[in-house]
């Protein structure tokens, strides 16, 4: 295997890269002296096999309509079986333009304007943005903190429902909290959806990014097969292999009736996959890609330890234990500072762009989310900057 160099500093400025080129406009932090730790992509090159697939396509030089996509579908089936113990059929796979688009298609297929759509807050901010933009009603069920990690609060949640809810979005693993839901928790989600006649959309985009010793991540389809008639599982290679610019993802739907409705939404909106994205996914979902992911999560685990130790040394700051994803969810409530103050210290003092917790919904205001999928030298630098910015607390 071509050995990855995750320590390599790759200059992404000036490449129309949202994470670095949009940082100053979004946070007032210039890439000249700042660290981009917000947008959830990695500062690493993908596996060599993916680069070679792009080079082959470029060398061919003809970029027509794609077809004969069986290698792409077979690669997805192989990956799910090999890495997640989930046997799926190629016919179950519907391709969308990334997972935010997949959520939008599910809303279009299974709900109507005014219907309630449930999320567990705080949660990935794009869910709420799409729900609101589609004219559905966002229903936030606040996650409970127990022993410093997020958990479900079924008794409270049962009281919050109105009967107008039609769909639930599950973030598994959870972004931004980094939780891997247990088999028991996933079973509880399944029973909740059956009890309230909800379609369940499970966003598993971070399923491959599990810290060593923290897994396994379980696909809810394998834990609760009894809800196949109401389950849409969203997966993508884009987060795992840092190819988000390909804008390609999958809705895996075992139930034929449910699948037909989702397919109808795709057809009505003219959504189809691009050739280059399918080539990249087929190359990534391979033994070489698997070895690359194994090396990646070991490296991310090292970054996690450095970042967590650095945060723990600052009185009043606490990072939620990171079981999966590369996104550290840091609680600033112990400082007694208002969000405007601790955010200013991070942005203006430390010159770090991190996601504002309030954008993740109810329960997020006292947090910032930091992306640690960057060369270790930058993680070490970020820790030093944060400790300096909060030096008066130490």
């Amino acid at each position: 295997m071509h050995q990855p160099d995750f320590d390599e500093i790759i200059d992404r400025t000036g490449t129309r890269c949202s994470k670095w080129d949009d940082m100053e406009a979004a946070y007032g932090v210039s890439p000249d002296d700042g660290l981009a730790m917000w947008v959830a992509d990695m500062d690493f090159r993908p596996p060599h096999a993916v680069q070679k697939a792009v080079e082959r396509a470029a060398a061919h030089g003809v970029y027509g309509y794609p077809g004969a996509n069986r290698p792409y579908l077979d690669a997805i089936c192989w990956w799910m079986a090999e890495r997640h113990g989930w046997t799926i059929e190629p016919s179950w796979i519907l391709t969308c333009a990334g997972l935010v688009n997949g959520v939008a298609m599910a809303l279009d297929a299974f709900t109507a304007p005014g219907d309630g759509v449930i999320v567990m807050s705080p949660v990935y901010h794009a869910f709420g943005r799409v729900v609101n933009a589609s004219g559905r009603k966002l229903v936030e069920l606040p996650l409970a903190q127990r022993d410093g990690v997020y958990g479900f609060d079924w008794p409270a949640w049962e009281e919050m429902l109105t009967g107008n809810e039609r769909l639930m979005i599950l973030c598994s693993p959870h972004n931004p909290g980094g939780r891997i839901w247990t088999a028991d928790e996933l079973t509880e989600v399944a029973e909740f959806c059956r009890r309230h006649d909800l379609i369940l959309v499970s966003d598993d985009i971070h399923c491959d990014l599990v810290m060593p010793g923290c897994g396994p991540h379980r696909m809810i389809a394998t834990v609760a097969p009894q809800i196949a008639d109401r389950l849409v599982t969203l997966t993508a290679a884009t987060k795992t292999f840092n190819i988000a610019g390909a804008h390609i993802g999958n809705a895996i739907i075992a139930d034929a009736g449910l699948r037909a409705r989702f397919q109808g939404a795709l057809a009505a909106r003219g959504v189809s996959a691009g050739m280059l994205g399918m080539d990249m996914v087929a190359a990534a979902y391979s033994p070489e890609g698997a070895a690359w992911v194994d090396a990646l999560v070991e490296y991310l685990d090292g970054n996690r330890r450095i970042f967590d130790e650095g945060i723990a040394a600052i009185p009043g700051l606490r990072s939620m234990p990171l079981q999966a994803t590369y996104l550290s969810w840091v609680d600033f409530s112990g400082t007694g500072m208002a969000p405007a103050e601790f955010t200013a210290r991070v942005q203006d003092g430390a010159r770090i762009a991190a996601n504002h917790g309030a954008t993740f919904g109810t329960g997020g205001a006292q947090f910032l989310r930091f992306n640690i999928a960057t060369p270790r030298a930058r993680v070490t630098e970020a820790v030093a900057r944060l400790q300096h910015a909060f030096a008066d607390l130490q």
Side-chain angles (χ1 to χ4, degrees), residues 221-235:
T222 65
V223 173
Q226 69 272 21
I227 63 159
D229 63 338
R230 63 182 67 245
L231 177 62
V232 175
T233 302
L234 300 179
T235 70

Side-chain angles (χ1 to χ4, degrees), residues 107-129:
L107 296 179
D108 200 41
F110 307 122
T111 69
D115 285 347
V117 176
I118 298 170
V119 298
M120 304 170 184
S121 293
V123 74
Y124 177 45
H125 43 71
F127 294 162
R129 186 170 68 243

Side-chain angles (χ1 to χ4, degrees), residues 12 18 39-42 44 46 50 96-99 124 205 236-249 277 280-281 326:
R12 300 179 64 191
S18 174
V39 173
D41 69 15
M42 299 187 279
F44 309 135
V50 173
C96 47
L99 292 203
Y124 177 45
I205 196 169
T238 53
K239 197 69 65 180
T240 304
F241 296 99
N242 205 34
I243 54 174
H247 278 285
I248 188 168
M280 294 168 80
V281 172
Y326 48 70

Side-chain angles (χ1 to χ4, degrees), residues 109-150:
F110 307 122
T111 69
D115 285 347
V117 176
I118 298 170
V119 298
M120 304 170 184
S121 293
V123 74
Y124 177 45
H125 43 71
F127 294 162
R129 186 170 68 243
V130 172
V131 170
N132 290 325
S134 67
R136 277 62 171 174
K137 179 176 173 55
L138 184 67
V139 179
E140 293 184 277
L141 303 183
L143 290 163
Q145 281 201 54
R146 300 185 186 93
D147 300 322
V149 299
Y150 286 132

Side-chain angles (χ1 to χ4, degrees), residues 94 102-112 115-117 136 166-167 199-201 229-232 251 253 255 257-263 265:
L94 301 177
V103 170
M105 291 298 102
L107 296 179
D108 200 41
F110 307 122
T111 69
D115 285 347
V117 176
R136 277 62 171 174
R166 298 290 178 265
L167 183 144
I199 299 293
L200 177 63
V201 175
D229 63 338
R230 63 182 67 245
L231 177 62
V232 175
I253 310 173
D255 183 81
L258 212 61
R259 192 165 63 249
R261 293 168 67 185
F262 194 97
Q263 179 67 70

Side-chain angles (χ1 to χ4, degrees), residues 175-231:
N175 168 17
R179 266 298 313 276
I180 297 173
W181 307 119
T182 66
D184 287 345
E185 287 171 321
L186 292 173
T187 300
E188 290 169 358
V189 171
E191 291 308 310
F192 182 81
C193 289
R194 287 186 66 85
R195 192 159 59 248
H196 295 283
D197 194 23
L198 301 169
I199 299 293
L200 177 63
V201 175
S202 183
D203 178 353
D204 290 60
I205 196 169
H206 291 278
C207 63
D208 298 307
L209 301 171
V210 175
M211 293 296 127
C214 292
H217 166 79
R218 297 171 176 85
M219 297 290 186
I220 194 168
T222 65
V223 173
Q226 69 272 21
I227 63 159
D229 63 338
R230 63 182 67 245
L231 177 62

